[in-house]
Amino acid sequence: MDRLVTIKSNRYGMELRMNPDVPFEEIQKAVVEKFTDAAGFFKNARMAISFTGRTLTATEEEILIQTITETTGVELLCIIDQDEKKELMYRSIVEQTLSNIQKREGQFYKGTLRKRQVLESESSIVILGDVEPGAKVVSKGNIVIVGDLYGSVHAGAYDNRDAYIVALSMQPKRLCIGDIEAKRQLISQESLNVRGPKIAVVDGGRIYLDPLTD
């Protein structure tokens, strides 16, 4: 059973290596045994996970995530894509996310925000999903979106110009930091010019977009 699943740690979480030549049911059983033995080590941890060795369907990923969380109490922040470019983007966001959590400055929202949904937070917030058109996020701290931003966001509400907004893709309907609102046309143009995940910050009384990773 040991050869079916191998757990490997990394800087931002863990990698689950799986045997590609056995039925998925055997993999799931091996995962239960592996994580039951290691439950004390992982208890209440927050991390990202990557799956390697075999291609999983979305349903199989969900099953493994549920199995791991129920067995150990681990909070899985997101799944790291094994594509090299995507991994670099996600790693940067996850490391920032974990830093916020360790400082107890933030909270998580899991799921996509859809039209007419409003999410408000007294502290920084990390959204594991998209902010779709018509949705709105207001935070007194930073806003980190591990997904695409198309709706409206207001970080540093209402007078904190040191706050920032991060998203994998950024084409917001409205974007504010502190008491400053970005011009939609400028933000849209800058977003097209910046590859990968983006961070919006205030500099000299104006909001700018920069790449999150070098």
Side-chain angles (χ1 to χ4, degrees):
M1 192 69 72
D2 287 345
R3 295 184 179 180
L4 297 183
V5 173
T6 303
I7 303 172
K8 181 181 178 182
S9 63
N10 52 45
R11 289 180 61 190
Y12 48 87
M14 61 179 162
E15 176 185 334
L16 192 66
R17 295 182 178 177
M18 300 164 290
N19 188 310
D21 301 319
V22 299
F24 174 75
E25 290 73 17
E26 292 188 32
I27 293 295
Q28 184 184 5
K29 185 178 179 181
V31 167
V32 171
E33 293 187 7
K34 278 281 187 182
F35 282 92
T36 297
D37 293 339
F41 177 78
F42 287 112
K43 187 175 181 180
N44 298 324
R46 295 182 176 93
M47 61 182 66
I49 189 170
S50 59
F51 297 117
T52 62
R54 65 189 287 151
T55 300
L56 299 174
T57 66
T59 299
E60 289 172 342
E61 284 187 353
E62 274 301 317
I63 290 173
L64 291 185
I65 290 172
Q66 184 175 355
T67 298
I68 293 169
T69 55
E70 290 180 351
T71 303
T72 63
V74 168
E75 182 178 356
L76 296 177
L77 307 181
C78 61
I79 300 172
I80 304 297
D81 197 302
Q82 287 305 295
D83 179 272
E84 185 175 350
K85 292 182 180 179
K86 289 185 178 179
E87 192 222 8
L88 179 63
M89 295 190 296
Y90 279 99
R91 181 178 67 187
S92 179
I93 289 180
V94 169
E95 288 177 347
Q96 177 67 60
T97 297
L98 292 175
S99 175
N100 284 342
I101 286 297
Q102 289 167 357
K103 296 175 183 177
R104 298 184 180 180
E105 294 176 351
Q107 58 180 296
F108 284 92
Y109 177 88
K110 296 181 180 180
T112 292
L113 289 172
R114 306 189 187 281
K115 187 176 181 180
R116 295 190 182 91
Q117 285 187 291
V118 178
L119 179 62
E120 297 183 357
S121 175
E122 293 292 317
S123 61
S124 296
I125 188 164
V126 179
I127 298 170
L128 304 178
D130 299 333
V131 178
E132 295 186 346
K136 182 179 180 181
V137 182
V138 179
S139 169
K140 288 187 176 180
N142 307 312
I143 298 174
V144 177
I145 301 168
V146 188
D148 299 332
L149 168 58
Y150 296 105
S152 300
V153 287
H154 189 170
Y158 290 91
D159 56 2
N160 179 12
R161 292 188 178 185
D162 293 327
Y164 58 80
I165 298 168
V166 168
L168 296 186
S169 177
M170 199 176 291
Q171 289 288 334
K173 179 179 180 181
R174 185 170 182 262
L175 188 149
C176 301
I177 297 177
D179 59 346
I180 299 176
E181 180 174 353
K183 292 184 178 181
R184 185 179 179 184
Q185 185 175 357
L186 290 177
I187 288 294
S188 296
Q189 185 58 48
E190 288 183 8
S191 184
L192 293 174
N193 295 332
V194 177
R195 294 184 178 181
K198 304 159 182 61
I199 180 169
V201 295
V202 173
D203 186 5
R206 188 197 144 190
I207 296 175
Y208 291 87
L209 286 190
D210 291 314
L212 185 63
T213 56
D214 295 330

